[in-house]
Amino acid sequence: MSTTWWSRLSKKQEQDRASESQSTEKDQRIQKESDDDPDLDPGELTFEEYTAGGLGRHLGVTSCTLLIVGRIIGTGIFSTPSSILSSVRSVGACFLLWVLGFLLSFCGLFIWLEFGTMFPRSGGEKVYLEAVYKKPKYLATAVFAVNSILLGFTASSCIVFASHILVAADQSVDRWNERIIALGVIFFVVLLHGLAPKTGVLIMNLLSIFKIAILIFVVITGWVVLSGKTSVADPNYNFRNAFAGSSTSSNDYATATFKVLIAYGGWASVNYVMNNVRNPVRTLKIAGPLGLGICAFLYLLANVAYFAAATKTEIDESGVAVASLFFGNVFGPAAERALAIFIALSALGNVVTVTFGAARVNQELAKEGIPLPFGNKFWASNWPTGKSPLPGLIIHLIPSAITIIAPPPNIAFPFILDIEGYPQQIINFFIVIGLFYLRWKKPDAVRPFKVWWPLAVFFLAASAFLLIAPFMRPANGVGDTPPLPYYLYCLVGISIILAGGLYWAVWRIVLPKVFGYSLVPRKETLDDGTVVTVFSNKKIE
């Protein structure tokens, strides 16, 4: 009997190895076509050069699914429903926005699946923009680099961790103790991923599982509340006349939709770290829908739980701690304090996950030759361990620390949510345009996954609306970040995109013209095996 069991196990392992080998060969065929066709090659480096160096392919389907779940379930579902309700003014409209966010996120996921399986390389949108917008050369790379570095911070999650851990410890929250703790979090996570990458992935997975468990508990508690077996007097109060008082302002809905999409943000997390993924095409096609599906299901039911346990007025006035209000109403003040620990750990998990992906994107930008202080070779390296990009983590650390220290927290949190969303919508818009362009220009290119075109059109239309509507005057005339003008986050977002264009112009046109040189690219292999593009200045005679 034991011999039969061992034979079955051996046969299963052989089948798994054969399947992995077939998937790897398929990935290589896809990349060979990309490398052989200059119209499909997204950058200067070949597939083998892109994926050289570092820890190698160590993330499977489970880790990638948990990466997506850990990135999506951060502080949004626990902290921002009150801000969304404050924008649209009714529970019904708020719930519909969460459904819309779920649909838009799945449309976006399918678009990114098509790109990600065509170009299974780390970098996400960086790779896809480079594959489509090749002229002027490096313009797309520079624009994405400025946006990614300046807005790739995790300050909001660090602040949420700090504020909730202070509440759990029964300590007063003031301007500086909150910021000191937030800074400690981002420094800890950077060192964790930079010096102990395998431990970082393990902690990331454990925190993702923890967050799923917390949301399941919220959902089950919501069912108990709806059954009438708790101290909540009227759990169906919010579901009667649910759309009463709904806002009629396009600006309100656009701003609220940005916040919902930020809460769902993270479905493309695997696209950013494809160099570390085993069987990247197969894994992406499984982990993407599975991870987003788990989160969407839990998000929608969690909102039902929130609306069952607290009235519209209570939720609207709860600030960022709507989940704490939920547990306080159901279990009393002691449970509200306990939940503060859960929210803090969820925020920590989000910081760990976001930082993991952002570092790889920063490393890919440096490998492409983007000019950075002290030269791009250091920032592209896996120093000091040879396995993890600590320099890329430092690039992520700097704007995160500045954002934590600089603005007033009561204004910063909602404004940061808004400002993160707008430039990303601009990038999303051009990504979808690029999808249709490649369909037209390269109809026969290998596409292991192909999104149904009406979904891409729907996502494109939604992106266009979200770019225009925020400029329309909100119903209250001031938006949700007073005293700042309601349109300020849009202008800041556009300015960051334009700054990327200016950065490119200075690098590629102004300085070479002023000092009389041309930029000549070459490839170098670093001590850790990483291949980078380096530019030399060749004097023009």
Side-chain angles (χ1 to χ4, degrees):
M1 185 174 179
S2 60
T3 303
T4 303
W5 176 85
W6 179 256
S7 300
R8 289 177 180 174
L9 178 60
S10 300
K11 185 176 181 181
K12 178 66 168 59
Q13 289 174 337
E14 289 176 4
Q15 290 173 344
D16 290 343
R17 284 193 294 267
S19 175
E20 183 171 343
S21 175
Q22 291 172 358
S23 298
T24 302
E25 290 174 2
K26 185 176 181 181
D27 294 343
Q28 290 173 345
R29 287 198 303 272
I30 295 168
Q31 284 311 305
K32 187 176 188 306
E33 176 175 323
S34 172
D35 291 340
D36 292 344
D37 187 345
D39 290 335
L40 285 176
D41 189 6
E44 293 288 338
L45 304 178
T46 66
F47 177 66
E48 289 75 16
E49 291 168 339
Y50 262 113
T51 56
L55 199 57
R57 299 190 180 280
H58 62 283
L59 300 177
V61 172
T62 300
S63 289
C64 287
T65 302
L66 291 174
L67 175 66
I68 292 171
V69 170
R71 173 61 183 88
I72 294 177
I73 304 176
T75 59
I77 188 60
F78 299 112
S79 305
T80 59
S82 57
S83 178
I84 294 166
L85 183 61
S86 132
S87 293
V88 298
R89 308 306 308 164
S90 77
V91 168
C94 184
F95 190 77
L96 285 181
L97 280 184
W98 284 99
V99 175
L100 175 64
F102 153 68
L103 295 175
L104 283 174
S105 296
F106 257 102
C107 291
L109 171 68
F110 292 148
I111 294 168
W112 265 244
L113 278 179
E114 178 165 331
F115 271 117
T117 53
M118 284 183 72
F119 309 104
R121 308 179 180 188
S122 291
E125 292 89 356
K126 167 198 171 291
V127 177
Y128 316 146
L129 291 171
E130 289 172 343
V132 177
Y133 304 102
K134 294 181 174 294
K135 295 181 181 179
K137 197 166 187 179
Y138 292 104
L139 175 59
T141 308
V143 169
F144 179 80
V146 171
N147 176 75
S148 178
I149 292 172
L150 293 184
L151 296 182
F153 45 73
T154 52
S156 57
S157 293
C158 293
I159 291 170
V160 170
F161 172 87
S163 62
H164 283 83
I165 209 69
L166 286 168
V167 169
D170 198 22
Q171 298 294 314
S172 61
V173 180
D174 62 45
R175 178 173 180 177
W176 288 110
N177 66 359
E178 182 180 60
R179 292 179 179 187
I180 290 171
I181 293 173
L183 285 173
V185 169
I186 190 63
F187 273 92
F188 165 75
V189 172
V190 164
L191 293 175
L192 173 68
H193 281 313
L195 302 179
K198 289 187 177 181
T199 303
V201 171
L202 176 61
I203 291 175
M204 186 167 63
N205 289 347
L206 291 175
L207 287 171
S208 296
I209 294 170
F210 172 79
K211 288 191 274 190
I212 292 173
I214 292 301
L215 272 186
I216 289 174
F217 185 70
V218 169
V219 169
I220 293 174
T221 303
W223 290 343
V224 175
V225 170
L226 286 171
S227 71
K229 297 179 180 179
T230 67
S231 58
V232 176
D234 186 2
N236 295 306
Y237 176 84
N238 283 325
F239 303 107
R240 293 190 291 268
N241 300 318
F243 291 92
S246 297
S247 172
T248 57
S249 167
S250 297
N251 177 284
D252 290 341
Y253 285 97
T255 301
T257 302
F258 276 131
K259 292 171 184 174
V260 171
L261 292 178
I262 289 293
Y264 277 112
W267 41 262
S269 296
V270 178
N271 296 66
Y272 301 135
V273 299
M274 291 288 277
N275 293 353
N276 298 124
V277 177
R278 293 196 300 266
N279 303 330
V281 171
R282 173 182 175 273
T283 300
L284 182 62
K285 289 195 289 185
I286 297 172
L290 180 60
L292 178 56
I294 290 171
C295 295
F297 177 75
L298 293 174
Y299 270 22
L300 294 176
L301 293 182
N303 270 276
V304 173
Y306 290 151
F307 296 143
T311 66
K312 171 184 170 181
T313 302
E314 287 177 313
I315 294 174
D316 197 19
E317 294 175 353
S318 66
V320 298
V322 65
S324 296
L325 172 71
F326 166 80
F327 268 72
N329 283 358
V330 177
F331 298 109
E336 187 176 345
R337 249 173 100 181
L339 185 67
I341 299 176
F342 299 156
I343 296 176
L345 290 176
S346 180
L348 176 62
N350 192 253
V351 176
V352 172
T353 306
V354 172
T355 304
F356 179 80
R360 270 86 188 153
V361 174
N362 293 336
Q363 183 183 41
E364 294 304 314
L365 289 168
K367 286 162 64 175
E368 202 64 49
I370 289 293
L372 295 167
F374 313 113
N376 66 302
K377 288 194 291 184
F378 170 72
W379 302 108
S381 72
N382 291 292
W383 178 86
T385 64
K387 296 180 179 180
S388 183
L390 180 59
L393 289 159
I394 294 172
I395 294 176
H396 177 74
L397 168 68
I398 294 170
S400 297
I402 292 173
T403 309
I404 289 169
I405 295 171
N410 60 331
I411 297 176
F413 186 78
F415 187 71
I416 286 171
L417 288 179
D418 293 342
I419 200 175
E420 282 182 304
Y422 197 82
Q424 186 61 49
Q425 285 303 322
I426 297 175
I427 290 173
N428 290 351
F429 183 84
F430 282 99
I431 290 285
V432 185
I433 294 293
L435 178 86
F436 289 116
Y437 174 76
L438 280 186
R439 289 271 189 97
W440 167 73
K441 188 173 183 181
K442 293 290 179 181
D444 299 324
V446 177
R447 291 177 172 86
F449 181 92
K450 197 170 183 179
V451 63
W452 189 39
W453 69 264
L455 297 182
V457 171
F458 175 59
F459 190 82
L460 180 66
S463 294
F465 168 77
L466 291 172
L467 292 177
I468 297 171
F471 287 99
M472 300 177 183
R473 188 176 181 83
N476 64 3
V478 296
D480 64 350
T481 56
L484 303 177
Y486 64 87
Y487 51 81
L488 180 62
Y489 74 91
C490 305
L491 298 181
V492 173
I494 293 172
S495 299
I496 290 172
I497 296 293
L498 294 177
L502 179 62
Y503 181 70
W504 170 85
V506 171
W507 170 41
R508 302 286 298 181
I509 299 176
V510 176
L511 291 180
K513 186 174 182 180
V514 170
F515 294 101
Y517 63 82
S518 62
L519 293 167
V520 180
R522 71 180 190 277
K523 298 175 183 178
E524 288 191 17
T525 302
L526 305 181
D527 293 338
D528 59 23
T530 304
V531 181
V532 301
T533 300
V534 180
F535 288 93
S536 300
N537 299 338
K538 182 180 179 181
K539 193 71 175 178
I540 299 176
E541 301 296 338

